[in-house]
Amino acid sequence: MFVRVGMVALSLVLGTGCRDESVSPTKAPETAPSASPPASAVPTPSRAESAAPSPAAPSLPALPARKVPSKTLADGSLLGEFSFERAAGDEGMAWLAAEDACVAAGKHLCTATQWQAACEADPAVSAVETWTLTPERDAGFLVRGGGAGCGRKTVAPGAQASPFRAGACCTPALAAAGRDIQPAMLRAMAKNVLDLERTLNARRASALTGFFDERVRVFLKEKSRAEAVAVFEHEFGKYEDYAAVHELCDFSAAADNETYTADCRKITRFGGKVGHVLTRYVFVAGSGKLRSITDPAMYRAFAEP
């Protein structure tokens, strides 16, 4: 069943959190006589032996960049085409370092949804245990792979690094679902959200002007287009690490067909913290202009990875 969730594009930016508008004695061992030989009988290691390096971390197989075609997922949602890559040398990183490496390459850690699609397209993806971008409540982040087949999943704290775990980088793509919405229209709606995501991640507030309607509700307050842009301009200056990735969006059209809504499960990072929220966007049909941005729910409170 499709998870109807998302994240807060601005709540994260604003650092205000989500607002629900609608609506988790032991006995010491006895000392035994020492069986160790006297110190004079123990050979002293040579300087060369003591300077010998420790065993190197395992080198995990890389997977060069490849396109993962768009597909219909088991829940009926449509996942757009994206690029998947696991670069050499990214093993042994904590979650944040792995994500930073992907961002430096102009990508992001693959979401759990993207990893699954990539593995189904090429089972070789499952050979290496891999970080995903997707948080698992407050327990850490989903880790996929590391065994035969594409079904293995575990959860690890973000600060836990393992020499046997790598990171995989993906280009943006989200899974889009919508009852009674034709696939072509669903893809167009998903593109609108991804265009907004790209602009937010560029942290250029002036570029948001073209996305906003003349009046736009930013969480609890209605603002003019210029006022909404000013809010983002202030927050982008405050949080240089701001980033948002939409994993899943559930689209629905209003009865009058004048607007459509996207309830999106979104992973957001700012101020050294990561949150997992549901962000609700209301777009004007036809123009695709944003009329409202709210945060009905939160799946993971903002915290250090």
Side-chain angles (χ1 to χ4, degrees), residues 122-253:
D122 180 3
V125 168
S126 69
V128 175
E129 184 179 276
T130 308
W131 282 117
T132 75
L133 190 70
T134 305
E136 177 61 19
R137 298 291 180 177
D138 296 327
F141 296 85
L142 284 174
V143 175
R144 301 302 310 271
C150 301
R152 186 174 186 270
K153 61 177 68 176
T154 56
V155 177
Q160 180 193 80
S162 168
F164 301 101
R165 185 183 306 137
C169 303
C170 285
T171 53
L174 62 83
R179 181 178 298 178
D180 300 327
I181 299 178
Q182 296 299 313
M185 181 59 69
L186 205 53
R187 292 188 182 96
M189 291 175 171
K191 181 180 183 301
N192 211 25
V193 173
L194 288 174
D195 287 345
L196 174 62
E197 175 184 299
R198 189 174 297 107
T199 303
L200 288 170
N201 289 338
R203 296 189 294 279
R204 291 191 303 110
S206 60
L208 291 170
T209 301
F211 286 89
F212 295 150
D213 202 7
E214 291 184 7
R215 302 292 298 179
V216 55
R217 186 185 186 196
V218 181
F219 304 114
L220 298 179
K221 294 183 178 181
E222 185 177 277
K223 298 180 180 293
S224 68
R225 181 183 292 142
E227 289 172 334
V229 169
V231 169
F232 282 94
E233 186 172 25
H234 172 76
E235 298 305 324
F236 289 162
K238 185 177 180 180
Y239 300 114
E240 295 183 355
D241 63 340
Y242 174 79
V245 174
H246 301 81
E247 182 169 13
L248 313 163
C249 289
D250 191 8
F251 294 90
S252 59

Side-chain angles (χ1 to χ4, degrees), residues 15-103:
T16 55
C18 287
R19 303 169 173 83
D20 190 334
E21 301 182 354
S22 60
V23 170
S24 152
T26 309
K27 182 180 179 180
E30 297 180 0
T31 302
S34 173
S36 301
S40 58
V42 179
T44 302
S46 66
R47 179 175 297 180
E49 290 173 330
S50 62
S54 57
S59 178
L60 304 181
L63 289 175
R66 77 277 308 281
K67 290 290 185 182
V68 179
S70 60
K71 66 177 298 182
T72 300
L73 304 181
D75 61 12
S77 59
L78 300 177
L79 178 65
E81 180 184 82
F82 62 93
S83 174
F84 175 98
E85 179 179 14
R86 192 169 62 223
D90 66 350
E91 58 271 3
M93 292 182 178
W95 183 92
L96 188 57
E99 167 64 354
D100 283 344
C102 289
V103 171

